[in-house]
Each structure stands twice: as C-alpha cells, then as structure tokens.
Amino acid sequence: MADWTIIKILSWTESYFKNHAIDSPRLAAEMLLASSLDIERLDLYLQHDRPLEKQELEGFKTLIKRRIQNEPVAYITGEKGFYESEFKVGRGVLIPRPDTETLVEAALDIVKETPSESYPKNILELGVGSGAVVVSLAKVFPDHHYFANDISKKALGIAKKNSETIVQDRVRLFCGSWLDAIKVFPIFDLIVSNPPYIPTGDIPGLQAEISVFEPVTALDGGADGLDCYRKIFETAHRNLVPGGCLLLEIGFDQKEGLREIFEQHSGYGSIEFIQDLAGHNRVAKIKKIN
C-alpha cells in the first residue's frame, strides 16, 4: 500500500468530510491535521510529500472521528483565532465568533477618543468567556485597567490562561453574575458584554456544533432572547461614570427590543446601533447621562 503522505491524507479527509456534510471540509482537514502534527497550516504544503508515521495516522484518525460527531474544530484543537490572537478554548466556554470583532472595534473606537490626560480608564467585561474581547482590548491599549467576570469558574480559568499568555495577565478576573458581585459605585468608563441572546425555543434548532457542544448558559437569553439585557440595564448605569458607555453585542433582529429596554430606564442618555460587515445591527452603544 502506498504511503499516506500529507497531501494524500488531506485530500482523503476533505472527501470524507464532504460525505458527512461537514462545513468547510478542506479547512477543517487542514486545521485538524496541522494541530495533530503540531505544525502550521502552511507547513502542510511545504511538507506535502512527507509520509505520515503509523502513530501520526492513528492520532489524526481520532480527531476525524470527533469532527464527524459534530464536535467543533476549535474544541478539538483547543484554540480559536480572534482579532489577531490565538485564544485557548474548550468545552464549557463559548467559541469566539467573527461577529464579535464588531464589539471589539466599537470598544477600541471609544478608547481612541479618550484624551491622553484622562488615562487610565477602567474597563469591565461582563461574561468574559474565553476572554477574547477584553484581552483583545488590553492587547491594543495596555495602559488602561481591565476587569472581567463570569459565572462559570471553568470559563474564568480559560480566560486567565489567555490573559497570561497574550497580555501578561493584565485582566483582573472575578466570579459573579453580571453586576451582582460589584459594589454600587460609578467607577467604570466602559462596560462591554456579549451576553446570551438566543431565544430558548430556538436553541434545539441550531447546528449540532452549537446546540450539543457549546454551553447552554452562554447561549440561552430566555423566551425572547432579551433576559440578560434587562438584567444588565437595571444596574449598569450605577457603575458607569457620568458619560460612560455600555456596549452590548446583540442579535441581528434585536434592535427594537433593545430600544424598548433602553426607553424603560432613565439612567441612560442615548442609544445607537453599530452594524457589522454584513450590514446587520450588531452592537448597541448606550451612553450614561453626563
């Protein structure tokens, strides 16, 4: 039997994934094989004619089996690229999405507007997950003070590793549900969050990669998907400095729902919506009254 070279096993795996209706079969094959061999994806082509050893084939076969069971590639490889960094991820933490880079960009725009004499700012992320958002902010603007919480200790552990690896542990992490663990005091210039916003009834109909493998607590936003926003709106203004900003990622069809919640609270002065690259309303920017 001919040797299984890197290029042959890639081609076979791509075809196998297509037959099992796996999304982006070639990309998945490349990412899993590169991870299995502990090399960069580019090296797969630089070493395309290298035969694989028996133990390498067996190790890769294990990853293939996991993927056809719909386990996300990010959980299999243990990492996910987001905003120019590689973040550690794992079961129990939401996988960072490209859509969320809109939230990061919006936060960076606010920080860029900050006069240098007003440094440093206090920035808080609610529901930190892997730490993708707050760590990305800290990487670009390391001179500010960063804080983040999560109700999941597992998520906090992963966020801690990412903070240590990417920004030299600049993010102060604590356990708690939204703002419940924070004293009522106006200390934060910016609060950001990507809360759960999928309606409970929609979750079973999502792709198995999401509905089966990703944590329900990071997805489920209640009957209409807006429960977490209501909770955040109730208290965030108490912890924002005058003129401070609350940035929230939202579902593409939740603009009017967020506006209604905003109108029910007198502690905020304005709301505007920022679109993602696809033209969907993706971020709500709410300013506290000066």
Side-chain angles (χ1 to χ4, degrees), residues 52 149 219 223 240 242:
L52 298 187
N149 77 335
L219 301 170
L240 284 168

Side-chain angles (χ1 to χ4, degrees), residues 23-38:
D23 288 339
S24 305
R26 183 69 175 198
L27 178 60
E30 291 175 353
M31 294 179 72
L32 292 178
L33 185 56
S35 177
S36 181
L37 299 178
D38 195 23

Side-chain angles (χ1 to χ4, degrees), residues 185-227:
F185 191 77
I187 188 175
F188 297 109
D189 300 274
L190 175 62
I191 298 176
V192 300
S193 185
N194 175 22
Y197 56 73
I198 299 175
T200 305
D202 291 352
I203 293 176
L206 298 175
Q207 291 177 301
E209 284 90 341
I210 301 172
S211 62
V212 175
F213 288 93
E214 297 203 63
V216 174
T217 54
L219 301 170
D220 192 344
D224 62 357
L226 301 174
D227 283 0

